[in-house]
Amino acid sequence: MADEFDPSTVPIRNAATVMLVRDAVDGDAGIEVFMLRRTTSASFGAGMYVFPGGKVDDADHAGELEPFCRGLDDAAASRQLGIDSGGLAYWVASIRECFEEAGILLAERRDGSALAIADADRHAVHDGTLSMVELCRRDDLVIDLSTTQYVDHWITPVGERRRFDTRFFVTEAPDGQEGLHDDKETVDSSWVRPQTALDQLDAGELMMMPPTAKNLRWLTGFATADDAVAAGMAIVDPATTLPKVRTDVDGNIIGVSMPGDSDYDAL
């Protein structure tokens, strides 16, 4: 029997995830996207291959961070997300999570000098001893948000024990930053062609959640990273996807129904 719990009491946490894309390095046309494998001990998405991302923290809403952001302010970000305020925090969270989980910092020095990335700073941001505001202030960094585009919106279905209201972004990876998993929340990482990842999913070699697979399919349509970011810029008010869980007679989750599936409306 499934454990007794009231699905209506599960809080929905705001989250952000970012697809880092680059032109394929093997010389053939096409793009690659950076993916991470979550640890099997993770409380959500255990063992799954994902894009860098996580929940929006209180520190991501820090108003003092806005002066270090270029190309987007909270008012414009909130309009894109269809919320009254606090929209900039989603972009900030995607940048922070990308740094924590992938070691890639989507920022530049204000004076144009070379960006030095210290592994110690990555871990300090992760454990909360260094905030993004403090890092930007200390190193006089500018976060250019104009190239990070909001492209998709998913909400975890009712019935799951952890639920997230997740905004998906796409951006081009900065030159000279290769990326690497943190060996804490993530235990493997790679740059992969979107179709290759989907083929591995179909072959049972990788595990992914539906929104990851859906956004990989979207990425297969682009020949260059610039094309993907430009397409993201053209997306206005992405539709919200709310899957529904399929359960057996004992209440155990046995599958997920997507909008358009024959049983979706009845669930």
Side-chain angles (χ1 to χ4, degrees):
M1 294 290 290
D3 294 337
E4 294 294 335
F5 88 107
D6 183 354
S8 67
T9 65
V10 178
I12 301 178
R13 299 177 172 88
N14 294 329
T17 189
V18 60
M19 295 178 283
L20 288 163
V21 295
R22 71 181 186 186
D23 293 337
V25 298
D26 59 12
D28 293 334
I31 64 173
E32 297 172 328
V33 61
F34 189 75
M35 299 195 73
L36 301 154
R37 182 174 183 262
R38 293 182 60 78
T39 174
T40 54
S41 62
S43 56
F44 184 83
M48 299 284 184
Y49 277 81
V50 298
F51 309 120
K55 66 184 180 67
V56 178
D57 290 339
D58 290 341
D60 297 323
H61 289 276
E64 59 264 35
L65 190 58
E66 192 165 352
F68 296 97
C69 295
R70 176 192 299 155
L72 194 68
D73 59 19
D74 187 69
S78 299
R79 283 195 298 272
Q80 286 195 46
L81 301 185
I83 59 179
D84 292 334
S85 63
L88 192 66
Y90 288 83
W91 271 261
V92 171
S94 73
I95 302 300
R96 174 184 54 75
E97 288 284 352
C98 187
F99 186 41
E100 292 179 11
E101 293 192 341
I104 293 177
L105 183 57
L106 299 169
E108 57 189 37
R109 295 289 299 272
R110 195 181 298 272
D111 62 7
S113 60
L115 179 66
I117 302 175
D119 202 47
D121 288 340
R122 171 188 181 180
H123 294 300
V125 170
H126 183 274
D127 65 27
T129 57
L130 178 69
S131 70
M132 288 297 294
V133 172
E134 292 165 339
L135 178 63
C136 289
R137 184 178 295 123
R138 187 196 71 189
D139 292 351
D140 199 21
L141 301 179
V142 176
I143 301 173
D144 186 0
L145 299 178
S146 64
T147 59
T148 299
Q149 309 301 330
Y150 169 47
V151 297
D152 206 4
H153 182 201
W154 286 66
I155 300 176
T156 312
V158 176
E160 294 282 3
R161 294 178 180 273
R162 285 179 177 265
R163 300 188 66 200
F164 295 93
D165 184 330
T166 305
R167 313 286 181 150
F168 283 74
F169 299 88
V170 64
T171 194
E172 190 165 358
D175 292 335
Q177 296 191 50
E178 186 65 22
L180 184 66
H181 53 281
D182 61 12
D183 262 338
K184 295 178 181 178
E185 294 181 1
T186 57
V187 295
D188 190 22
S189 58
S190 64
W191 288 95
V192 61
R193 288 178 180 268
Q195 187 59 57
T196 299
L198 290 168
D199 292 343
Q200 292 173 326
L201 171 65
D202 290 340
E205 298 169 4
L206 302 182
M207 293 191 301
M208 296 177 201
M209 290 174 279
T212 308
K214 186 260 188 180
N215 278 283
L216 282 171
R217 285 192 291 272
W218 179 73
L219 289 176
T220 61
F222 305 110
T224 69
D226 284 345
D227 290 344
V229 175
M233 186 181 298
I235 294 175
V236 178
D237 192 21
T240 300
T241 302
L242 176 58
K244 297 181 181 180
V245 297
R246 298 184 176 111
T247 58
D248 61 19
V249 294
D250 293 324
N252 300 298
I253 296 175
I254 58 173
V256 175
S257 177
M258 303 296 296
D261 288 349
S262 59
D263 62 348
Y264 182 82
D265 292 336
L267 289 174

